[in-house]
Amino acid sequence: RILSNCDYLFDSELKNNPMLDNMYLGTTDGIYYRYSKSSAYNPDYDPRQRDWYIAAISEKEGAVWMDTYQDYYGKVCLTCAKRFKGADGGTKGVLSTDITVQDMLDEIVATKLGKSGYAFVMDDSMQYLAHPDYYTEGFKMSLGSHINKDFSALNTIRKTDSGVIQVELDGTDCYIAYATLDETGWKLCI
């Protein structure tokens, strides 16, 4: 009965929200159902062994947000998962979706601030998710590889929710204002 409405519900959601890449669920019995823009299928896939399933089953209330990853087509995705219950109140499985974040990231990066200011986004391991030079050949993905002297700035950004620091970034003295995005733990920096 759980799966009988999936086509109808998932199709509508994917058509009306271009940021969704796919929707899927895994049941406690090991059934896996995926509705996607691609037709890839793996008959040996056990959702109960996947990080998204394990994290959501462990979460008592609310959804979990998983780390970003690059999908098969090269898109940066973020997974959101939440366990669901049956009529008897018992856990029946996990519903999940992959959200493409590239459009959102591209919009942030396109923001110009004054003559030389720009925005960028980092994950919780201080790896760039978005930067104006992200697609430039030879671009280094770690913020640490762009800081010339004071590596304590890296730890300050990592360990605090928000603030402003002064640092030498790619040979230029600058200020970085940053804030943590609650849902993902990412740092939005300007």
Side-chain angles (χ1 to χ4, degrees):
R1 285 187 267 167
I2 291 171
L3 299 176
S4 65
N5 290 313
C6 286
D7 274 351
Y8 172 75
L9 294 171
F10 290 2
D11 181 63
S12 174
E13 288 298 319
L14 284 174
K15 283 181 180 172
N16 292 313
N17 191 339
M19 283 196 335
L20 296 181
D21 191 42
N22 56 58
M23 297 180 76
Y24 44 98
L25 62 83
T27 69
T28 55
D29 296 328
I31 296 170
Y32 176 66
Y33 180 81
R34 179 172 150 234
Y35 197 90
S36 177
K37 295 174 185 174
S38 82
S39 60
Y41 175 70
N42 178 354
D44 298 322
Y45 187 89
D46 184 348
R48 298 168 297 181
Q49 304 301 315
R50 308 305 293 184
D51 290 343
W52 58 268
Y53 185 94
I54 294 166
I57 285 291
S58 300
E59 180 65 31
K60 298 294 181 208
E61 297 296 325
V64 296
W65 294 86
M66 306 301 290
D67 289 337
T68 58
Y69 69 97
Q70 195 168 30
D71 74 2
Y72 180 78
Y73 303 101
K75 293 184 269 182
V76 177
C77 293
L78 177 67
T79 299
C80 180
K82 185 177 186 332
R83 70 185 173 117
F84 62 88
K85 298 177 182 180
D88 64 359
T91 298
K92 298 298 181 189
V94 173
L95 175 66
S96 187
T97 186
D98 291 338
I99 302 165
T100 55
V101 294
Q102 197 58 54
D103 289 339
M104 177 187 68
L105 295 176
D106 288 345
E107 189 172 322
I108 290 169
V109 170
T111 303
K112 299 296 180 199
L113 304 157
K115 292 180 182 178
S116 61
Y118 59 92
F120 57 94
V121 180
M122 295 180 300
D123 66 15
D124 58 358
S125 65
M126 300 293 103
Q127 298 291 309
Y128 286 107
L129 296 173
H131 186 281
D133 297 327
Y134 189 88
Y135 296 107
T136 304
E137 187 175 334
F139 180 75
K140 294 179 180 158
M141 299 300 291
S142 170
L143 176 64
S145 62
H146 295 267
I147 293 177
N148 296 347
K149 293 179 184 172
D150 185 9
F151 289 101
S152 67
L154 193 64
N155 286 328
T156 299
I157 294 172
R158 180 182 291 129
K159 293 180 180 182
T160 58
D161 286 334
S162 63
V164 178
I165 60 166
Q166 185 176 5
V167 67
E168 187 177 322
L169 190 63
D170 292 324
T172 303
D173 287 328
C174 63
Y175 290 97
I176 298 176
Y178 62 93
T180 304
L181 304 173
D182 291 334
E183 292 83 8
T184 60
W186 296 349
K187 302 290 183 176
L188 171 61
C189 304
I190 299 172

